[in-house]
Amino acid sequence: PAIATIPASNIAVNSATLNANVSGLTGIGHGYNFEFGTSPAFGQTTVVQAPQNGTVTAFAGNLSPNTLYYFRAVLQSPNCQTVYGQILTFTTGAVPPVAISVTTLPATAVTQNNATLNGTLATNNVPNVLRWFEWGPTTALGASTLNQPGTDGGFSEPIGGLLPNTTYYFRAAAQGMNTPPFFGAPSSFTTP
């Protein structure tokens, strides 16, 4: 019997399907698997399976993103003879960037004691995004509005209890599930 390694398929960020063609197979007791790794020395193997003539596959998981992998098919005969396919390579996919874009816009409706803080949000399909504003009378901010569900587009929050003739600093902020917080550039306004 013979085995020929053919290109990998279903290549993802952390996995791939390894493929081979088996021919000349007769009788029982044969097994096939794949050797794979980040160098031609491989280092990892898939589970041994019973082959048939034609295309055979195996799943390789727990791979590193954006990494070159080497692999080859291996066929064992019942008489302990081992046949190897040629070595091929594939590169796993890159992790898509997770970036939430937040922009701080000028405050509106500014009075002696109140103001409306404004911003825009682009979630880039990140799930479960929360957005808020951080604000205060110094650049250290110190206060924040309540977290609200965030969707793409503009958003505003009124704040109160401000002092007249005082400069306040603020910035828009957002965070998705399993992401760090993202912040808009700081801005300021002065109450009359």
Side-chain angles (χ1 to χ4, degrees):
I3 192 164
T5 312
I6 59 175
S9 58
N10 302 319
I11 300 167
V13 173
N14 300 112
S15 64
T17 301
L18 308 181
N19 303 302
N21 278 327
V22 175
S23 59
L25 196 64
T26 58
I28 59 171
H30 299 278
Y32 80 93
N33 68 331
F34 291 87
E35 297 176 323
F36 66 97
T38 56
S39 76
F42 307 113
Q44 300 179 66
T45 60
T46 61
V47 174
V48 175
Q49 302 178 64
Q52 77 277 345
N53 284 313
T55 302
V56 294
T57 65
F59 178 79
N62 297 319
L63 306 179
S64 297
N66 200 30
T67 302
L68 177 68
Y69 280 89
Y70 297 80
F71 74 104
R72 71 177 173 188
V74 181
L75 181 66
Q76 298 95 18
S77 298
N79 61 4
C80 298
Q81 180 184 15
T82 302
V83 179
Y84 296 96
Q86 65 274 33
I87 297 172
L88 298 181
T89 63
F90 66 90
T91 300
T92 51
V95 175
V98 175
I100 296 170
S101 176
V102 185
T103 305
T104 307
L105 298 177
T108 56
V110 178
T111 67
Q112 287 183 331
N113 304 111
N114 301 292
T116 299
L117 307 181
N118 303 294
T120 61
L121 174 64
T123 63
N124 297 320
N125 298 315
V126 175
N128 304 318
V129 174
L130 296 174
R131 51 93 176 151
W132 66 94
F133 290 96
E134 296 178 347
W135 62 279
T138 69
T139 55
L141 306 175
S144 67
T145 62
L146 294 176
N147 292 353
Q148 301 289 336
T151 56
D152 288 358
F155 63 99
S156 300
E157 289 290 333
I159 58 172
L162 306 179
L163 299 174
N165 195 29
T166 303
T167 298
Y168 287 91
Y169 302 87
F170 71 101
R171 66 182 177 182
Q175 183 172 8
M177 182 189 297
N178 301 321
T179 73
F182 293 86
F183 302 99
S187 188
S188 65
F189 65 90
T190 301
T191 54

